[in-house]
Amino acid sequence: MKKRSLLILVGALGCVPTAPPLKGVLAPDRALPSLQLATGHRQLVFKWEYQEGDLAARGDGSVRTAAPDSARLDFFLGGGLGAGAALLIGDSLRSPHVELARRYIPPSPMMWAALGRLAIPPLPDTVIRIDGGLVRADIGRPVQWRVAIRGDTLVALEHLSAGKITERLARESNGQVVYQAPGARRRLALTILREQPGSFDDSIWSL
């Protein structure tokens, strides 16, 4: 059984891209900016498309956030065929169907990155480089996370294992926010339709 599990892990890692060398000029005196949720309450409305292998689905959704670390996610399947909701509080995901939610919703660091918040585990040995208008960084030894930041915007977050990119969240040039897990053939694309201040009470934190 252990041998089979190892073969599955090696096969999965073989399907994911190798992380290239970090671009840019070394900047040992720079520090990563603190990227947090906007203060107060905000609401994002989006369209979503999900793929996992041969499975594909799409629909609408919304996220209501409350600084510093709370978000409610609501997803609606196209054609009125279903709906789901989840709460992301810190790094904890809650849902009436939590296993299903974990399948469709990216892990908490990636989901927070989609909302503009950098929330990865604290690790030593951060290497920072400047690449034009981008601040790039490798975090951990061995490297576990790679980030790219432009101004106060998180452009990309990658999760690395054994030098390979196992997960990636990026803001694309077409305005989409795209999460990918190549080894699992999983992809979630969010097209943000609008973002605005919101006003909601504590009832949204109950499911």
Side-chain angles (χ1 to χ4, degrees), residues 18-23 32 110 113 118 120 123 126-127 129 135-140 143-149 154-161 163-165 167-169:
T18 299
L22 191 66
K23 295 180 180 179
L32 287 178
M110 294 291 174
L118 183 59
I120 59 177
L123 293 168
T126 299
V127 176
R129 290 179 177 268
V135 176
R136 299 185 184 273
D138 278 347
I139 302 169
V143 178
Q144 296 184 40
W145 298 94
R146 175 171 286 185
V147 301
I149 299 168
L154 183 58
V155 176
L157 176 64
E158 295 172 338
H159 194 191
L160 277 61
S161 177
K164 292 185 178 286
I165 303 170
E167 297 176 288
R168 185 172 195 267
L169 187 289

Side-chain angles (χ1 to χ4, degrees), residues 8 117 148 203:
I8 291 173
R117 178 176 180 244
S203 64

Side-chain angles (χ1 to χ4, degrees), residues 37 62-75 84-96 98 101-102 104-120 157 169 188 190 200 204-207:
L37 293 178
S62 70
V63 179
R64 285 171 281 182
T65 64
D69 64 352
S70 301
R72 174 178 172 131
L73 299 87
D74 291 279
F75 291 86
L87 301 177
L88 183 58
I89 311 294
D91 60 0
S92 175
L93 183 69
R94 308 175 198 169
S95 173
V98 69
R102 286 176 178 157
Y104 290 100
I105 297 173
S108 57
M110 294 291 174
M111 193 65 232
W112 282 128
L115 300 175
R117 178 176 180 244
L118 183 59
I120 59 177
L157 176 64
L169 187 289
L188 175 66
L190 306 178
F200 35 85
I204 72 163
W205 308 116
S206 298
L207 292 176

